[in-house]
Structure formats: C-alpha cells, structure tokens
Amino acid sequence: MPTQNDSAVTSSRDSTLGSKGLLASELNVLIAEDELVMRRLLKQSMERLGFIVTEAVDGDDALLKFGAQRFHLVMLDVLMPKRTGFEVCQEIRRQSNVPIVMITALNRPEDIIQGLKFGADNYITKPFNFKELEARIHAVIRRSMHLNHHHSFEVAEIGDLKLFNATQEIEIKRQRVTLTPIEFALLRHLVSQIDRPVSKEELLQEVWGYLDTDNLNLVELAIRRLRTKIESDASNPTRVVTMRGVGYKYCVASPD
C-alpha cells in the first residue's frame, strides 16, 4: 500500500477536545491497518476520543479479533494484506450492523461505491487531520445510537414499498430486499419527506450526521447504489428521482 507518514493524521495534541474525550463511557473500536505509523496515529487519536482500541495488522487478523469480542466501531484500511478492507467489510456485514468506517488512500468514485456496496457507513481519504476524523466518528456513533434507541416505527408502508425498521430490510412488490445501514437510513429519510425535494446537504446532515460541502459526492454515490436495489431500471429511476439544482425526491408507486 502507499507509504504513509506522520502528517497523515494530525497529532491529537492539536485537538481541542477535553480530557474525557468523545464519549461519556468507553466503547470498543477495532482498527485494522497494516502500516505501523498510521495504525499508531489512529490508535492515539481514538484513545483521545475515549475508545478502547484493539489493533489488527491484516484482513484475517481483523476478522479473527472481530469474532472474539463486541465492538462499537470498526475502522478498516482498504489495502491490507491477506484480505482487503472491502472483503473484511463484506464479511462483517454478514454478521453485524456495527458502524464501519473505511480509511484509504483511494479517492476514486468506484472505490467509494465499492465501500458502500459492502456496507461501509463512511469513508475517510488519507491524508486527513484529527478534527476531520473526530467529526466523522461523532457522526457515525451518533447515527448508530439513534437507530438503536429511537425507532419511531416497526413497519412503514408507502405505496408498494414497506420498510422494516428492526431488520433494516424493505419489501417492494412483495419481494424482500436487504439494504446496508446507510442505504436504509437514506431511503427512510427520503420517504419521510415524501414528494418533497431533499437537498444533498440535508441528506448528508440527516443521514451521515455532519455537513461537509466538499463531501456531497458521497450522497450522489449512495443514491446511485440505492437505485440499483429499488428501481426497475436504475438508469431511469421512477422512485428516487433527481430534481436538478435541488436534490432528490421519493415518488410513490401505487401497489399492483
């Protein structure tokens, strides 16, 4: 993988966080990163945020340690030996909805789509600074806790679409479809604003939990991925339609 250096993550000494860190109680995070300097910097940063850190040096090590204890957050480098971060993400998603953040030097749209496809919640590109990392982790954990503790419905039915909150599955025309946590949250927010255009900024704020106008392509790519699962023709969408210059709108399809 590309060589990293100390500038990849700003030292936590530069952070303005208080001594108690991000969380009132400590949570477990698994950091899977094969490059030693980066792994140590991430460990230092996450401990500053109040996490108990477990380190993994490759993809196999990450899955072994994930199976051995409960984690509240997983951070995966993409270019790891033995198994890539994408492969590890896919395997973890078969077992758990734990928040997953991909950390990578890759910034191509197809790489971000790949991460979303396998169930990643967020995507941080190297190099990044501590404040950026802090904001993303705040957002991921806050969204996870909201989904776990503040369900507003068990099943919602809109036209020929049903959303099952507990399993984060949907049913379209009596066919079950499994979504990743981000895909479900994205669709859920669009449906909650039915027939009203929703901006990319609003989606980034409400679904990912933070607003960064330089990261709006994450919304575009997630919408593209969602359409492959819910549209009859993803290239000609009729459910999640683009409102040019505004954002996106969910349109109701009548039951058969």
Side-chain angles (χ1 to χ4, degrees):
M1 64 176 289
T3 301
Q4 304 299 330
N5 55 46
D6 289 349
S7 66
V9 177
T10 302
S11 169
S12 60
R13 290 192 299 271
D14 297 330
S15 171
T16 57
L17 286 178
S19 59
K20 292 185 179 179
L22 168 67
L23 305 162
S25 60
E26 291 178 327
L27 301 179
N28 294 318
V29 59
L30 174 63
I31 297 175
E33 164 65 68
D34 64 305
E35 204 282 315
L36 179 60
V37 172
M38 175 60 71
R39 192 168 66 250
R40 285 179 174 173
L41 288 168
L42 286 169
K43 181 176 186 292
Q44 180 186 33
S45 297
M46 297 307 292
E47 287 177 340
R48 175 72 174 176
L49 290 175
F51 284 88
I52 299 171
V53 176
T54 298
E55 300 175 64
V57 299
D58 58 50
D60 285 351
D61 190 30
L63 288 176
L64 182 66
K65 288 176 176 173
F66 182 80
Q69 70 178 94
R70 179 173 181 260
F71 290 98
H72 302 89
L73 175 67
V74 175
M75 304 177 74
L76 299 174
D77 180 49
V78 169
L79 300 178
M80 291 189 292
K82 299 185 179 179
R83 299 196 196 200
T84 68
F86 294 141
E87 293 173 302
V88 175
C89 181
Q90 184 177 31
E91 183 58 36
I92 288 175
R93 272 290 167 260
R94 293 192 181 107
Q95 311 170 40
S96 170
N97 278 335
V98 62
I100 298 175
V101 175
M102 305 298 295
I103 300 176
T104 180
L106 305 175
N107 195 28
R108 299 175 300 176
E110 55 266 37
D111 296 312
I112 299 176
I113 289 176
Q114 190 84 331
L116 294 171
K117 172 183 175 181
F118 292 135
D121 292 87
N122 217 318
Y123 205 98
I124 299 177
T125 303
K126 303 172 187 175
F128 52 85
N129 59 41
F130 182 74
K131 287 186 177 181
E132 178 187 3
L133 177 66
E134 174 192 343
R136 300 292 178 86
I137 298 307
H138 265 288
V140 168
I141 293 297
R142 185 167 58 245
R143 190 184 66 81
S144 174
M145 290 180 172
H146 175 78
L147 290 176
N148 286 337
H149 300 296
H150 299 283
H151 294 323
S152 59
F153 65 89
E154 291 300 322
V155 180
E157 187 168 355
I158 306 93
D160 65 351
L161 171 71
K162 289 183 180 179
L163 292 89
F164 299 86
N165 212 42
T167 60
Q168 296 194 351
E169 291 179 309
I170 64 171
E171 185 177 287
I172 297 177
K173 297 180 180 178
R174 302 181 182 87
Q175 296 294 317
R176 282 290 182 110
V177 178
T178 300
L179 302 181
T180 67
I182 280 292
E183 290 166 352
F184 187 85
L186 185 57
L187 180 58
R188 172 177 169 155
H189 188 74
L190 287 167
V191 166
S192 73
Q193 308 294 322
I194 204 154
D195 286 327
R196 180 182 78 82
V198 182
S199 69
K200 296 174 188 176
E201 290 83 358
E202 179 180 335
L203 288 170
L204 191 61
Q205 179 70 62
E206 296 300 322
V207 176
W208 280 267
Y210 66 95
L211 181 56
D212 178 0
T213 55
D214 292 331
N215 208 34
L216 294 178
N217 67 322
L218 186 61
V219 178
E220 297 169 9
L221 296 172
I223 289 285
R224 189 192 307 177
R225 178 66 193 163
L226 177 63
R227 282 170 171 163
T228 67
K229 294 188 175 183
I230 69 171
E231 301 281 2
S232 299
D233 179 1
S235 62
N236 186 30
T238 58
R239 295 178 185 274
V240 178
V241 299
T242 300
M243 308 297 292
R244 297 200 179 279
V246 181
Y248 304 97
K249 180 173 73 171
Y250 185 86
C251 298
V252 178
S254 300
D256 292 340

